[in-house]
Amino acid sequence: MDPTPLEIADPPRLHGETVQQWVFRRLRRTVMAGRFPPGRAVTIRGLAEAMGVSAMPVREALARLVAERALVLLDNRRVRVPEMTAQRFDELVAARTLLESEAAARALALTDDAFIRRLAVLNRASDQAVADADTEAIIETNLAFHAALYGGRADSVLLPLIESVWLQIGPFMRMALADLDAHYPVDRHAEALAALKARDEAGLRAAIEADIRDGIGHLRAQLD
């Protein structure tokens, strides 16, 4: 048994979803939302027991997450988050900046009043989470805002790539939130919404780049 069970994401199983698909979705969200602490190794058996399933779907899900570079498989049937180096962090931040600013710019073509209202609702939820100092809600509402902004099209190519980067940097988001007030003084989501309303592509790209820089950029100093 693992000493302290992970807080595994527990979305309801969808109609027609197999156990394998559900387990993978739960574990993927667990990593993306930062519930898998860096350096913490867990066993396949421990995860299976915590999720109330057999080891097989957990093993399959973990293999997929290892392939996505979200986890590394150890030699004793345990997995953990990969070590974060300064070089890897720089590359992940660069990938986020390039992919997300481009995805945001492409959202301009889909922007209408309903789209902006939906994002505004998500941003208010994010603001409330910050006001409540609710770490779980801050992470979830932030992911929801960005996913809604980038995922306007069902056939989006960029969103799956962005999510792959989120998987690799997600476990470190809770560290970034430890001193949020000092490093995130401006509501960059509000800036992005204003740029969307104005159809200002340059402003929108700048808001997303600043959101990423202010949100996680300060972690770089801890890796030197």
Side-chain angles (χ1 to χ4, degrees):
M1 293 287 292
D2 298 309
T4 305
L6 292 180
E7 295 182 9
I8 299 171
D10 193 19
R13 186 174 168 186
L14 303 176
H15 178 71
E17 189 174 37
T18 66
V19 172
Q20 287 82 358
Q21 291 168 333
W22 182 51
V23 167
F24 174 67
R25 188 161 60 87
R26 290 179 66 185
L27 288 176
R28 194 171 193 266
R29 191 66 180 189
T30 297
V31 175
M32 193 179 294
R35 297 186 181 190
F36 212 122
R40 165 77 180 277
V42 297
T43 63
I44 294 172
R45 177 182 294 180
L47 288 172
E49 290 177 353
M51 300 175 75
V53 297
S54 69
M56 183 60 72
V58 172
R59 186 177 294 109
E60 292 175 359
L62 292 177
R64 293 174 66 180
L65 290 169
V66 168
E68 289 193 75
R69 304 183 70 181
L71 299 172
V72 291
L73 183 64
L74 306 178
D75 59 5
N76 53 359
R77 296 189 180 182
R78 289 175 176 261
V79 293
R80 64 168 173 79
V81 171
E83 178 184 358
M84 184 63 73
T85 62
Q87 180 178 351
R88 182 165 176 256
F89 182 82
D90 288 342
E91 291 180 359
L92 287 170
V93 171
R96 276 200 66 184
T97 302
L98 290 169
L99 289 169
E100 294 184 42
S101 60
E102 180 64 22
R106 289 173 180 265
L108 281 170
L110 304 173
T111 298
D112 56 18
D113 290 343
F115 183 67
I116 290 174
R117 284 196 299 271
R118 187 162 63 252
L119 288 172
V121 169
L122 291 170
N123 190 44
R124 285 195 293 273
S126 183
D127 289 343
Q128 187 61 55
V130 173
D132 295 339
D134 185 338
T135 299
E136 294 292 336
I138 291 172
I139 292 173
E140 291 293 346
T141 55
N142 181 64
L143 288 173
F145 179 88
H146 284 271
L149 175 58
Y150 310 144
R153 292 195 343 265
D155 62 345
S156 171
V157 172
L158 290 176
L159 184 56
L161 297 175
I162 290 168
E163 288 185 342
S164 178
V165 179
W166 286 350
L167 273 173
Q168 296 181 63
I169 210 163
F172 299 87
M173 288 305 298
R174 289 170 196 270
M175 294 169 58
L177 292 176
D179 200 10
L180 185 65
D181 291 341
H183 299 285
Y184 200 92
V186 178
D187 187 344
R188 301 301 185 181
H189 289 181
E191 288 187 342
L193 281 170
L196 278 171
K197 292 176 182 177
R199 304 299 193 271
D200 177 4
E201 179 179 332
L204 181 56
R205 287 180 180 272
I208 294 302
E209 290 175 8
D211 181 61
I212 296 167
R213 181 188 65 242
D214 294 353
I216 62 173
H218 58 282
L219 291 183
R220 177 61 171 76
Q222 300 181 34
L223 300 172
D224 287 327

